[in-house]
Amino acid sequence: MKCPKCGVEIARFDLSPNCKKCGVHIMYYTQDEDLRRDAKKTELEFTTARIFVAKLKAAFIQGKAVILRFVFLLLGICSLLLPVFNVKLSFPWWEYEISVGALGIYNMFTDSIWTMLGAFSDIGVGKLLFIITLVTLLLLVVTALCLVGCFGAWILSFINIRKTSKIAVGFAVPAILSGIGSTVLSFIAVNLSGAIEFVSVKPYFGGVLTVLIMAAFIAANAAIINNPPEIPVKEADRKRLEIKEKLKKGEITLDELPLPIVEEEEKPEAPKEKKRGKKK
């Protein structure tokens, strides 16, 4: 270690705060310079933070289409809770009911769905109704996975709102196709239930509602793709970003920069109107 002023070599175990040759305080001699350097670093880092916050605002709360996109996504997730149709088995000694919706997906992993298969094992039309029920539940699983993909694209929209909107549309299209498929199967199930005496199928509108909401979700994303919200960045911050890139490439050093690095242009304040008092 050397003295910052005179350059004399300081012994490793010399704990004196002052240089023995020139007497300068080693710790505080470069304090002003260090503070100036820290102030420059802070100015550049705050620019990065301000731009990141601006990206978050543009991605999540800036503009009607951006807000509507989140509302439709939330409604699409909630629409899965509504069943597509309801199957009820009514025997003199036993009754069983299954809701074909997001809440009924749990029955695929329990013995309930296989109980229904056992009840239909000796009836040809009943087996077909069971297959329709199982396929509808699988389509609901596909819809749920697509909505998870849409939600992930929405979370990452601050990175690039236009690209993530295209990804969200790519997930929403198969969700709509799955919703249409489950709705068609619900009508087939209602018609088949008329041929079985102890089976009744009640249609609901969960699939239709999911299709309509996801279509609106696609429309909101299309509006964002065609006219993405602009990220409000000040001209001074743009200059700071350019300087930061030059620092990373080693084209300039921190000591060469002035303080402040970029001076903000102050907007002139509008003159305040004087209140006129009543004349006595």
Side-chain angles (χ1 to χ4, degrees):
M1 182 178 175
K2 295 182 180 181
C3 174
K5 184 178 180 181
C6 63
V8 69
E9 191 72 26
I10 299 173
R12 182 176 299 179
F13 298 102
D14 188 357
L15 303 179
S16 175
N18 299 92
C19 175
K20 291 182 177 179
K21 183 178 180 181
C22 63
V24 73
H25 198 291
I26 298 171
M27 182 182 296
Y28 296 118
Y29 181 73
T30 59
Q31 185 180 28
D32 291 341
E33 186 180 345
D34 293 339
L35 289 174
R36 286 175 62 85
R37 190 178 290 109
D38 290 340
K40 294 173 186 178
K41 290 179 181 178
T42 303
E43 183 179 344
L44 294 175
E45 293 303 324
F46 263 98
T47 299
T48 305
R50 280 196 299 270
I51 292 175
F52 179 70
V53 172
K55 286 182 178 180
L56 291 178
K57 289 181 179 179
F60 298 121
I61 60 174
Q62 186 174 326
K64 293 181 180 179
V66 172
I67 297 173
L68 287 174
R69 178 182 62 164
F70 171 68
V71 172
F72 290 135
L73 176 60
L74 192 61
L75 290 175
I77 295 172
C78 294
S79 68
L80 289 178
L81 300 176
L82 296 175
V84 180
F85 61 90
N86 194 54
V87 181
K88 186 176 182 181
L89 308 179
S90 300
F91 297 98
W93 63 91
W94 175 66
E95 283 190 356
Y96 175 75
E97 188 173 350
I98 180 172
S99 176
V100 183
L103 299 177
I105 293 175
Y106 172 76
N107 295 318
M108 293 177 62
F109 306 100
T110 63
D111 60 346
S112 301
I113 197 75
W114 311 116
T115 303
M116 183 179 175
L117 176 61
F120 287 156
S121 58
D122 298 328
I123 307 171
V125 179
K127 284 183 180 179
L128 182 58
L129 182 58
F130 169 77
I131 292 171
I132 289 173
T133 303
L134 187 59
V135 172
T136 304
L137 288 171
L138 291 174
L139 287 175
L140 287 172
V141 172
V142 172
T143 305
L145 292 175
C146 290
L147 285 171
V148 170
C150 291
F151 187 76
W154 174 77
I155 289 176
L156 299 175
S157 57
F158 67 91
I159 299 174
N160 189 318
I161 190 168
R162 196 168 188 177
K163 288 183 179 179
T164 50
S165 294
K166 291 179 180 179
I167 294 172
V169 170
F171 280 112
V173 170
I176 289 178
L177 295 176
S178 299
I180 292 172
S182 62
T183 302
V184 172
L185 290 176
S186 69
F187 287 112
I188 296 174
V190 171
N191 292 328
L192 286 176
S193 64
I196 309 174
E197 183 179 356
F198 55 85
V199 177
S200 62
V201 177
K202 186 178 180 181
Y204 288 92
F205 300 99
V208 176
L209 191 61
T210 301
V211 170
L212 293 176
I213 291 172
M214 295 312 295
F217 177 74
I218 289 177
N221 279 282
I224 294 171
I225 293 169
N226 293 329
N227 188 20
E230 294 183 1
I231 300 172
V233 180
K234 296 179 181 179
E235 186 62 28
D237 286 339
R238 295 183 189 276
K239 292 178 181 179
R240 291 187 183 101
L241 285 179
E242 293 175 2
I243 292 170
K244 193 173 182 180
E245 288 298 321
K246 290 180 180 179
L247 281 171
K248 286 181 180 180
K249 294 177 182 178
E251 297 178 6
I252 56 175
T253 61
L254 202 62
D255 294 329
E256 296 174 1
L257 298 175
L259 184 67
I261 297 174
V262 179
E263 292 188 3
E264 299 267 355
E265 294 183 2
E266 295 183 1
K267 295 181 179 180
E269 294 183 1
K272 296 180 180 180
E273 295 182 359
K274 295 181 179 180
K275 295 182 179 180
R276 295 181 180 179
K278 293 183 180 180
K279 294 182 179 180
K280 295 183 179 180

